[in-house]
Amino acid sequence: MMSLRRAASAAALLATVLSTALASPAYAARSDGDDGGGAPCRTSATTPLDAEQARLGDARTTALVERAGLADFVRRFPAALCTARHSADAGRLLDAWGTSLWQTAVDRAQGRRPGGDLAAGDDRPLYWARLAMTAALARWEPAFPVDRAALRTRFEDASRGLTDNAFRSAPGVRRVFISGFDPFGLDTELRRGNPSGSAALRLNGRRITLADGTRAEIRTVVLPVRYGDFDSGIVERAFTPRLAGGSPDRADVITTVSQGYPGLFTLEDWAGRSRSADPYPDNTGALSGGTREHPVTAPGLGPGAEFIRTTLPADTVTAAVQAPYPVRLNSAVTEIPAGAAAPVDRSDGPTPGSRAVAGGGGGYLSNEVAYRSNRLRTELGRADVPGGHLHTPVLTGLPADPQALTGPEFEDNESAIAAEVRAVLEHAAARP
């Protein structure tokens, strides 16, 4: 748990950075190279953006940010970058802005920060605001050398809940740690949200009563739908502090959450080691390199079994939670049996010695986050910790008009899914 001194220092830093950036229009970044304070501060309008950032050209992304009251983050961020005088200063600034963006989104989702006319629990404004700020970082041309990739990682981690997001509960309160995901599939529907991300924002820091009457605190992160971030260890950065022996921030239960199938929740019985989702790309347009016929092991994975089984109390959850959506245990996998060359679909789990092609959650990043996080449980000596993966129903209900960003059905469905995620956790995290 963060010490009071550390928390006070972080709060002071955040207040200093934000007050400088938000209250000083003299720091507005200019392409002519003057930041208003005499120090060079250049931005480049021609810096190429990646495929994910390029979607910001659609005016609906700006509207989603503005209608949630987050536009000042995007508008003032270039000016804030201009206040940095050296690389270490830039790192601290990005930590502070990322933390503030995350906490603002959490506060909004939980009704502590009114802003805009979008539903409070909408996860999309955080996604598009963060992405616009990374585009500003890409265009920033400081007068001193920086490791831009490292700075973006610091900002991404802070704005996703990976940092300064410690458990604050008293002894005896159960600690539950979950992850959600960004929206994805945006080339076919830019307005998509992800109910797992919405649930994470609504639940971060919440104290709930579990089915056995005990209390629990929930902490959350929202992960990117990008293979590159998984390759560079974002899952391990998120989960290691929650699982490492002796860590003051250890969790009692972990659950990864993502959007899955239409009309129902599934607890995934098995997570597979392989990627096999091509030709379906990630949010940057990147492919995994693995197909059903030729699965691949993700870079950076340590040793582990081909399949890892959930240790969540699936029977308890499925017996107790069935509304408004049914909850099912999904034991399906795809494997290449020992001694064979072709993939086989099975409904009852893997056979001994087989090669993983896909877990119950497929061969995409939702399966991989389950595999990586639950592999860590064993590697770090926490095999006793309940862990697994929950797929939510697909979020539906967007209006037919492509310019309409939200509607009652969409908002009601997102809220209902988030409420049922909480209900699942109330049973999954209870003491056996």
Side-chain angles (χ1 to χ4, degrees), residues 158-213:
S159 65
R160 294 179 176 280
L162 271 72
T163 59
D164 288 338
N165 193 20
F167 288 105
R168 294 174 174 85
S169 51
V173 176
R174 297 275 278 173
R175 296 175 168 190
V176 181
F177 183 66
I178 73 169
S179 65
F181 271 109
D182 285 345
F184 64 100
L186 300 169
D187 287 330
T188 55
E189 176 52 87
L190 190 80
R191 298 174 295 165
R192 280 199 176 106
N194 193 320
S196 70
S198 175
L201 292 174
R202 296 172 195 239
L203 290 172
N204 188 62
R206 290 282 196 188
R207 293 197 180 184
I208 65 173
T209 301
L210 302 180
D212 62 357

Side-chain angles (χ1 to χ4, degrees), residues 36-124:
C41 185
R42 297 182 179 274
T43 60
S44 170
T46 60
T47 299
L49 302 179
D50 65 31
E52 189 174 26
Q53 294 165 334
R55 297 188 188 98
L56 293 164
D58 190 309
R60 291 174 296 177
T61 68
T62 301
L64 283 165
V65 175
E66 290 178 343
R67 290 179 59 180
L70 299 183
D72 268 352
F73 279 93
V74 177
R75 188 162 43 245
R76 303 285 190 173
F77 186 57
L81 289 172
C82 291
T83 69
R85 297 298 181 245
H86 47 74
S87 181
D89 197 20
R92 290 190 293 269
L93 184 147
L94 287 162
D95 290 343
W97 274 78
T99 298
S100 181
L101 179 62
W102 167 257
Q103 192 56 57
T104 299
V106 167
D107 287 345
R108 185 177 184 279
Q110 297 181 19
R112 293 189 295 272
R113 179 191 166 97
D117 63 349
L118 287 181
D122 197 320
D123 68 306
R124 298 172 296 172

Side-chain angles (χ1 to χ4, degrees), residues 21-41:
L22 295 175
S24 301
Y27 278 110
R30 303 174 186 171
S31 60
D32 62 5
D34 187 356
D35 70 355
C41 185

Side-chain angles (χ1 to χ4, degrees), residues 73-74 77 81 97-98 101 128-138 155:
F73 279 93
V74 177
F77 186 57
L81 289 172
W97 274 78
L101 179 62
W128 291 111
R130 181 196 302 113
L131 198 61
M133 293 166 78
T134 66
L137 177 61
F155 174 73

